[in-house]
């Protein structure tokens, strides 16, 4: 029974003294732990956006960069999330590292990455992924799998080599965080939740919140 599924979290705790002053540095520390633990897709994050009617939607996207600006990912600008981000840049994202009994949740707003950054990253993608970005009209209704495969075959013939341009409707976003929560599972569901909150002077304040 689903209601009977239960796991006690006992791996470790998280105290204020364990945190680095800057949440980006703390993220990098925990991300390194996730990579070294060989978690599947440690850069996978659940991204939540809001549509024009107030309906939220979520999906998993892959983090492709983190720096002082925030957390970067790439997508089709005309996809559902692309359209929702154009209408409302407010987002949240979660890294669910269950094997480490950890999660990181962040909230903030997005802006588009410069075109040159999108072009540079696009060139590093596998050839099939670059062709797929052209073939897929993301989030649109498609009659069948065969239609997608035929589009891909046509593009494979159109671009026989490695010189595949970036689609004009494809690019990147960066999430500028306003709050980042580091969550560590603890016994009896008394989890540790430490949150960095951006202050008006751009510094960070760390708060402990009840589980």
């Amino acid at each position: 029974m689903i209601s009977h599924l239960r796991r006690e979290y006992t791996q470790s705790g998280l105290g204020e003294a364990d945190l680095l002053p800057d949440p980006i540095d703390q993220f990098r520390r925990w991300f390194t732990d996730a990579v070294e633990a060989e978690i599947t897709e440690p850069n996978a994050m659940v991204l939540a956006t809001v549509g024009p009617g107030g309906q939220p939607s979520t999906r998993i996207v892959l983090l492709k960069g983190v720096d002082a600006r925030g957390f970067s990912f790439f997508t089709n600008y005309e996809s559902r999330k692309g359209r929702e981000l154009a209408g409302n840049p407010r987002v949240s994202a979660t890294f669910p590292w269950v094997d480490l009994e950890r999660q990181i949740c962040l909230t903030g707003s997005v802006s588009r990455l410069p075109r040159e950054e999108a072009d540079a990253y696009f060139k590093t993608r596998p050839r099939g992924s670059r062709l797929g970005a052209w073939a897929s009209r993301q989030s649109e209704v498609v009659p069948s799998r065969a239609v997608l495969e035929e589009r891909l075959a046509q593009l494979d013939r159109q671009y026989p080599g490695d010189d595949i341009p970036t689609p004009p409707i494809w690019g990147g976003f960066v999430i500028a965080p306003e709050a980042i929560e580091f969550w560590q599972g603890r016994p009896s569901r008394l989890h540790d939740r430490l949150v960095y909150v951006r202050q008006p002077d751009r510094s960070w304040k760390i708060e402990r919140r009840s589980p």
Side-chain angles (χ1 to χ4, degrees):
M1 296 289 293
I2 293 175
S3 62
H4 293 165
L5 293 174
R6 185 169 297 277
R7 172 177 171 175
E8 194 74 358
Y9 299 130
T10 60
Q11 288 190 28
S12 63
L14 182 65
E16 286 81 350
D18 299 320
L19 296 181
L20 297 171
D22 188 287
I24 299 299
D25 293 334
Q26 182 63 36
F27 175 85
R28 290 191 179 107
R29 173 185 281 179
W30 269 26
F31 187 80
T32 297
D33 291 344
V35 171
E36 291 178 349
E38 299 183 347
I39 289 176
T40 301
E41 300 278 28
N43 59 327
M45 61 180 181
V46 181
L47 178 71
T49 57
V50 180
Q55 176 64 52
S57 61
T58 62
R59 77 288 292 157
I60 292 175
V61 300
L62 297 180
L63 178 74
K64 289 298 177 180
V66 58
D67 55 30
R69 297 173 300 177
F71 300 79
S72 300
F73 64 95
F74 295 88
T75 190
N76 185 312
Y77 288 142
E78 295 186 357
S79 65
R80 177 178 179 177
K81 61 181 168 298
R83 295 193 305 270
E84 290 182 348
L85 291 172
N88 183 347
R90 307 290 299 171
V91 300
S92 67
T94 299
F95 294 86
W97 296 330
V98 178
D99 289 347
L100 293 178
E101 300 175 358
R102 289 175 173 175
Q103 65 178 357
I104 297 176
C105 302
L106 61 99
T107 57
S109 58
V110 300
S111 58
R112 287 192 181 189
L113 288 171
R115 171 50 54 181
E116 57 268 22
E117 289 189 40
D119 290 343
Y121 171 68
F122 192 77
K123 291 177 181 178
T124 71
R125 304 181 86 202
R127 184 173 184 276
S129 297
R130 283 178 282 157
L131 292 174
W134 280 96
S136 175
R137 296 163 188 166
Q138 198 175 112
S139 300
E140 291 187 8
V141 175
V142 62
S144 66
R145 175 79 188 185
V147 170
L148 280 175
E149 293 177 347
E150 177 56 29
R151 286 180 193 164
L152 187 64
Q154 291 174 356
L155 288 159
D156 189 40
R157 294 189 293 269
Q158 182 177 350
Y159 300 109
D162 198 54
D163 187 15
I164 303 169
T166 308
I169 59 172
W170 188 97
F173 289 99
V174 58
I175 306 171
E178 296 172 6
I180 306 178
E181 176 180 317
F182 292 82
W183 182 100
Q184 179 72 59
R186 296 296 299 275
S188 303
R189 297 299 188 260
L190 292 179
H191 312 304
D192 288 319
R193 298 177 58 195
L194 294 176
V195 186
Y196 294 79
V197 181
R198 179 74 85 176
Q199 301 301 294
D201 65 359
R202 307 301 294 168
S203 65
W204 293 98
K205 178 183 178 182
I206 298 176
E207 301 174 342
R208 177 176 285 272
R209 296 186 181 172
S210 296

